Amino acid sequence: MKADDFHAVVDVLFRNASVVDGTGKPRFVADVAVTGDRITAIGRIGNIAAREVIDATDKVLAPGFIDAHTHDDGYLLVHRQMEPKVSQGITTVVTGNCGISVAPLLTSCPPQPLDLLGPSSLFRFDTFSAWLDELRASPANVNVVPLVGHSTLRVRAMRDVAREANDAEIASMRQEVELAMRAGAFGVSTGTFYPPAAAATEREIVQVCQPLKTYGGVYSTHLRDETDDIVESIEEALRVGKALDCKTVFSHHKVAGKRNHGRSVETLGILANAAKMQPLCIDCHPYPATSTMLRLDRVAQSSETLITWSRSYPEAAGRTFAELRQSLGLTDEQLLEKLRPAGAIYFIMDEADVKRIAAFPLTIFGSDGLPFDERPHPRQWGTFPRILAKLVRESKLLTLEEAIHKMSGLAAQQYGLQERGTLQEGSFADLVMFDPDIVKDNATFDDPVQLSDGIEQVWVNGMRVWSDRCTIPSFSGRVLFRATADAQ
Ligand SMILES: [Zn+2]
């Protein structure tokens, strides 16, 4: 193409960017051209006609971040600009984690923890493909990697979820997994920590998830126990993954409760050994606190519990469990009764474990945010900039190249995303441009809905979705396809 061509030959031309390409390789200075939805050139690009030229001097240009653990299933439909995510440089979200997905389920009264996904009006899809159809018809500002939740399937298939599924129920759930995989799910998530699936046995999960074998999906698990029985729980998940001959994703890996602090040395050792025998990865976020439905076992294990929302006593949001207990003069059980259904943040982990887990070579990052919470955990708005600020710039736990590899290239590899996750010619133009010297999260536990600093511009499939601290309603996100998808 000659520079004097009448038509612009590229749509966007970044000049002098510090390219961190997502592979883990050292950064290099280059020009990057985008045409349509693809990256079309990287290197010293001479005089070329471009619709837009961006001076990226001293800025990092990287593949858009992949939020490997989200609960955005419903949020994507009603907040399509996805401000909490694109403002962090995220261009792809993995949905349906922890056993809970909005589809396939028709209900006006989703039981906890399904209600963490948002209002009951979201549970309006009788099939997984109906939800995907709506996402495709009204796309959001980010790409979607969908998982189907085993707890959702249990609530759908079983009258009484407090026992193991019988053969007919297993057959019905297996059929739903088959349909979801055919429709485009990347795999199944389970959450045996939670009431709707606590009675599910290993055998049930292996039976229900059989289609993962055929379709090459992932098995993603919120372990049965992340406290004293963490090792038994990891071993159970490894057996399930092995029986299904598929990749096991260990969600938000942690060792919770004071007496387990430090045990990530042991759990990561087990996982590193297991990884020699079977495919697996881990996701985590950079905070020592977690968040989910309000439950007394978690309260007891935590140094502090902060209420994020309460349907029956909304004024509790933002207050601590201990302070409410005292000021209302109630026992733990009475306070739980007064608040529920409710959500909470639990200060339950040790900083050293959090860092050790983040640095583990098979770890990718996921915010695990609960997007409809009134007073959410700050991870919903701050996870990725916080990693760049705290784990890269301040503590130097990770190099910038390592952190971005985990946020993009490695995550894409673990989920089998094609032509995404690395900045190379021919790949889809999911990009983030940020200032590495100032990028940081501002969301805190006291003030959790805050934009980060330093994330300057974000593109999804070649369209800008974030610029100058504002979202742009491009809605260029796509439902991504499994690499191993069988032709239907
Ligand atoms: Zn979870």
mmCIF file of all heavy atoms in Angstrom, residues 69 71 97-99 190-191 193-194 221-223 226 251-252 254 290-292 368, ligand 1:
data_model
loop_
_atom_site.group_PDB
_atom_site.id
_atom_site.type_symbol
_atom_site.label_atom_id
_atom_site.label_comp_id
_atom_site.label_asym_id
_atom_site.label_seq_id
_atom_site.Cartn_x
_atom_site.Cartn_y
_atom_site.Cartn_z
ATOM 1 N N HIS A 69 -12.802 -14.264 35.834
ATOM 2 C CA HIS A 69 -13.796 -14.739 36.799
ATOM 3 C C HIS A 69 -14.783 -13.614 37.082
ATOM 4 O O HIS A 69 -14.478 -12.669 37.814
ATOM 5 C CB HIS A 69 -13.109 -15.174 38.095
ATOM 6 C CG HIS A 69 -14.040 -15.853 39.057
ATOM 7 N ND1 HIS A 69 -13.982 -17.197 39.326
ATOM 8 C CD2 HIS A 69 -15.069 -15.373 39.783
ATOM 9 C CE1 HIS A 69 -14.929 -17.522 40.184
ATOM 10 N NE2 HIS A 69 -15.602 -16.424 40.482
ATOM 11 N N HIS A 71 -19.184 -12.345 37.482
ATOM 12 C CA HIS A 71 -20.603 -12.669 37.655
ATOM 13 C C HIS A 71 -21.416 -11.641 36.871
ATOM 14 O O HIS A 71 -22.414 -11.126 37.350
ATOM 15 C CB HIS A 71 -20.939 -12.692 39.146
ATOM 16 C CG HIS A 71 -20.192 -13.764 39.876
ATOM 17 N ND1 HIS A 71 -20.487 -15.094 39.711
ATOM 18 C CD2 HIS A 71 -19.144 -13.718 40.729
ATOM 19 C CE1 HIS A 71 -19.653 -15.821 40.450
ATOM 20 N NE2 HIS A 71 -18.828 -15.012 41.076
ATOM 21 N N ASN A 97 -19.586 -18.090 36.667
ATOM 22 C CA ASN A 97 -18.687 -18.767 37.606
ATOM 23 C C ASN A 97 -19.378 -19.193 38.903
ATOM 24 O O ASN A 97 -20.482 -18.770 39.205
ATOM 25 C CB ASN A 97 -17.512 -17.836 37.921
ATOM 26 C CG ASN A 97 -16.508 -17.806 36.786
ATOM 27 O OD1 ASN A 97 -15.749 -18.742 36.613
ATOM 28 N ND2 ASN A 97 -16.541 -16.748 35.977
ATOM 29 N N CYS A 98 -18.682 -20.021 39.656
ATOM 30 C CA CYS A 98 -19.102 -20.445 41.009
ATOM 31 C C CYS A 98 -20.390 -21.255 41.004
ATOM 32 O O CYS A 98 -21.100 -21.319 42.016
ATOM 33 C CB CYS A 98 -19.254 -19.251 41.951
ATOM 34 S SG CYS A 98 -17.745 -18.301 42.147
ATOM 35 N N GLY A 99 -20.719 -21.848 39.873
ATOM 36 C CA GLY A 99 -21.931 -22.674 39.795
ATOM 37 C C GLY A 99 -23.182 -21.901 39.438
ATOM 38 O O GLY A 99 -24.247 -22.494 39.262
ATOM 39 N N THR A 190 -18.927 -25.176 38.900
ATOM 40 C CA THR A 190 -19.639 -25.734 40.049
ATOM 41 C C THR A 190 -19.338 -24.903 41.288
ATOM 42 O O THR A 190 -18.304 -24.227 41.359
ATOM 43 C CB THR A 190 -19.221 -27.191 40.350
ATOM 44 O OG1 THR A 190 -17.826 -27.219 40.677
ATOM 45 C CG2 THR A 190 -19.495 -28.106 39.185
ATOM 46 N N GLY A 191 -20.242 -24.996 42.272
ATOM 47 C CA GLY A 191 -20.054 -24.271 43.525
ATOM 48 C C GLY A 191 -20.592 -25.077 44.688
ATOM 49 O O GLY A 191 -21.613 -24.728 45.291
ATOM 50 N N PHE A 193 -19.621 -25.261 47.534
ATOM 51 C CA PHE A 193 -19.559 -24.501 48.788
ATOM 52 C C PHE A 193 -20.945 -23.980 49.163
ATOM 53 O O PHE A 193 -21.250 -23.740 50.325
ATOM 54 C CB PHE A 193 -18.579 -23.339 48.583
ATOM 55 C CG PHE A 193 -18.597 -22.272 49.638
ATOM 56 C CD1 PHE A 193 -18.101 -22.517 50.912
ATOM 57 C CD2 PHE A 193 -19.086 -20.999 49.357
ATOM 58 C CE1 PHE A 193 -18.099 -21.510 51.885
ATOM 59 C CE2 PHE A 193 -19.085 -19.994 50.316
ATOM 60 C CZ PHE A 193 -18.593 -20.251 51.580
ATOM 61 N N TYR A 194 -21.809 -23.806 48.154
ATOM 62 C CA TYR A 194 -23.089 -23.119 48.352
ATOM 63 C C TYR A 194 -24.262 -24.075 48.532
ATOM 64 O O TYR A 194 -24.264 -25.172 47.949
ATOM 65 C CB TYR A 194 -23.376 -22.221 47.145
ATOM 66 C CG TYR A 194 -22.460 -21.022 47.058
ATOM 67 C CD1 TYR A 194 -21.516 -20.915 46.052
ATOM 68 C CD2 TYR A 194 -22.553 -20.012 47.997
ATOM 69 C CE1 TYR A 194 -20.686 -19.809 45.976
ATOM 70 C CE2 TYR A 194 -21.720 -18.895 47.924
ATOM 71 C CZ TYR A 194 -20.799 -18.797 46.921
ATOM 72 O OH TYR A 194 -19.978 -17.713 46.849
ATOM 73 N N THR A 221 -14.241 -24.604 39.114
ATOM 74 C CA THR A 221 -14.845 -24.949 40.398
ATOM 75 C C THR A 221 -14.550 -23.971 41.532
ATOM 76 O O THR A 221 -13.404 -23.575 41.755
ATOM 77 C CB THR A 221 -14.422 -26.380 40.834
ATOM 78 O OG1 THR A 221 -14.915 -26.636 42.143
ATOM 79 C CG2 THR A 221 -12.906 -26.549 40.844
ATOM 80 N N HIS A 222 -15.615 -23.579 42.198
ATOM 81 C CA HIS A 222 -15.518 -22.945 43.512
ATOM 82 C C HIS A 222 -15.535 -24.121 44.486
ATOM 83 O O HIS A 222 -16.553 -24.790 44.642
ATOM 84 C CB HIS A 222 -16.706 -22.008 43.742
ATOM 85 C CG HIS A 222 -16.708 -21.338 45.082
ATOM 86 N ND1 HIS A 222 -17.231 -20.084 45.277
ATOM 87 C CD2 HIS A 222 -16.255 -21.739 46.293
ATOM 88 C CE1 HIS A 222 -17.100 -19.742 46.556
ATOM 89 N NE2 HIS A 222 -16.524 -20.747 47.203
ATOM 90 N N LEU A 223 -14.407 -24.400 45.094
ATOM 91 C CA LEU A 223 -14.220 -25.613 45.885
ATOM 92 C C LEU A 223 -15.251 -25.748 47.005
ATOM 93 O O LEU A 223 -15.771 -24.766 47.517
ATOM 94 C CB LEU A 223 -12.816 -25.626 46.487
ATOM 95 C CG LEU A 223 -11.651 -25.711 45.499
ATOM 96 C CD1 LEU A 223 -10.327 -25.574 46.245
ATOM 97 C CD2 LEU A 223 -11.694 -27.021 44.718
ATOM 98 N N GLU A 226 -12.752 -23.921 51.338
ATOM 99 C CA GLU A 226 -11.508 -23.164 51.135
ATOM 100 C C GLU A 226 -10.842 -22.877 52.473
ATOM 101 O O GLU A 226 -10.017 -21.990 52.591
ATOM 102 C CB GLU A 226 -11.807 -21.853 50.407
ATOM 103 C CG GLU A 226 -12.345 -22.065 49.002
ATOM 104 C CD GLU A 226 -12.806 -20.764 48.362
ATOM 105 O OE1 GLU A 226 -13.483 -19.959 49.031
ATOM 106 O OE2 GLU A 226 -12.481 -20.551 47.182
ATOM 107 N N SER A 251 -11.237 -21.667 40.971
ATOM 108 C CA SER A 251 -11.687 -20.279 41.072
ATOM 109 C C SER A 251 -11.140 -19.609 42.322
ATOM 110 O O SER A 251 -11.030 -20.245 43.376
ATOM 111 C CB SER A 251 -13.215 -20.239 41.124
ATOM 112 O OG SER A 251 -13.748 -20.714 39.915
ATOM 113 N N HIS A 252 -10.874 -18.302 42.176
ATOM 114 C CA HIS A 252 -10.461 -17.443 43.295
ATOM 115 C C HIS A 252 -9.712 -18.238 44.375
ATOM 116 O O HIS A 252 -10.140 -18.311 45.537
ATOM 117 C CB HIS A 252 -11.643 -16.698 43.915
ATOM 118 C CG HIS A 252 -12.894 -17.507 44.104
ATOM 119 N ND1 HIS A 252 -12.938 -18.621 44.896
ATOM 120 C CD2 HIS A 252 -14.137 -17.371 43.590
ATOM 121 C CE1 HIS A 252 -14.151 -19.111 44.876
ATOM 122 N NE2 HIS A 252 -14.897 -18.376 44.081
ATOM 123 N N LYS A 254 -7.760 -19.508 47.325
ATOM 124 C CA LYS A 254 -7.443 -18.866 48.605
ATOM 125 C C LYS A 254 -7.325 -19.920 49.680
ATOM 126 O O LYS A 254 -7.778 -21.057 49.499
ATOM 127 C CB LYS A 254 -8.529 -17.850 48.981
ATOM 128 C CG LYS A 254 -9.883 -18.473 49.267
ATOM 129 C CD LYS A 254 -10.901 -17.441 49.756
ATOM 130 C CE LYS A 254 -11.546 -16.606 48.681
ATOM 131 N NZ LYS A 254 -12.517 -17.328 47.839
ATOM 132 N N THR A 290 -12.761 -11.354 50.663
ATOM 133 C CA THR A 290 -13.613 -11.963 49.664
ATOM 134 C C THR A 290 -15.037 -11.434 49.854
ATOM 135 O O THR A 290 -15.293 -10.656 50.767
ATOM 136 C CB THR A 290 -13.540 -13.502 49.793
ATOM 137 O OG1 THR A 290 -14.310 -14.073 48.753
ATOM 138 C CG2 THR A 290 -14.025 -13.979 51.133
ATOM 139 N N SER A 291 -15.943 -11.825 48.972
ATOM 140 C CA SER A 291 -17.318 -11.341 49.126
ATOM 141 C C SER A 291 -18.286 -12.344 48.545
ATOM 142 O O SER A 291 -18.066 -12.886 47.472
ATOM 143 C CB SER A 291 -17.492 -9.997 48.415
ATOM 144 O OG SER A 291 -18.822 -9.536 48.560
ATOM 145 N N THR A 292 -19.362 -12.572 49.297
ATOM 146 C CA THR A 292 -20.418 -13.464 48.806
ATOM 147 C C THR A 292 -21.658 -13.256 49.677
ATOM 148 O O THR A 292 -21.771 -12.224 50.359
ATOM 149 C CB THR A 292 -19.933 -14.942 48.786
ATOM 150 O OG1 THR A 292 -20.937 -15.723 48.154
ATOM 151 C CG2 THR A 292 -19.649 -15.487 50.172
ATOM 152 N N ASP A 368 -14.064 -11.369 40.157
ATOM 153 C CA ASP A 368 -15.084 -11.993 41.001
ATOM 154 C C ASP A 368 -16.063 -10.958 41.557
ATOM 155 O O ASP A 368 -16.699 -11.185 42.586
ATOM 156 C CB ASP A 368 -14.408 -12.773 42.152
ATOM 157 C CG ASP A 368 -15.341 -13.781 42.806
ATOM 158 O OD1 ASP A 368 -16.425 -14.054 42.247
ATOM 159 O OD2 ASP A 368 -14.974 -14.292 43.877
HETATM 160 ZN ZN ZN B 1 -16.956 -18.343 43.918
#
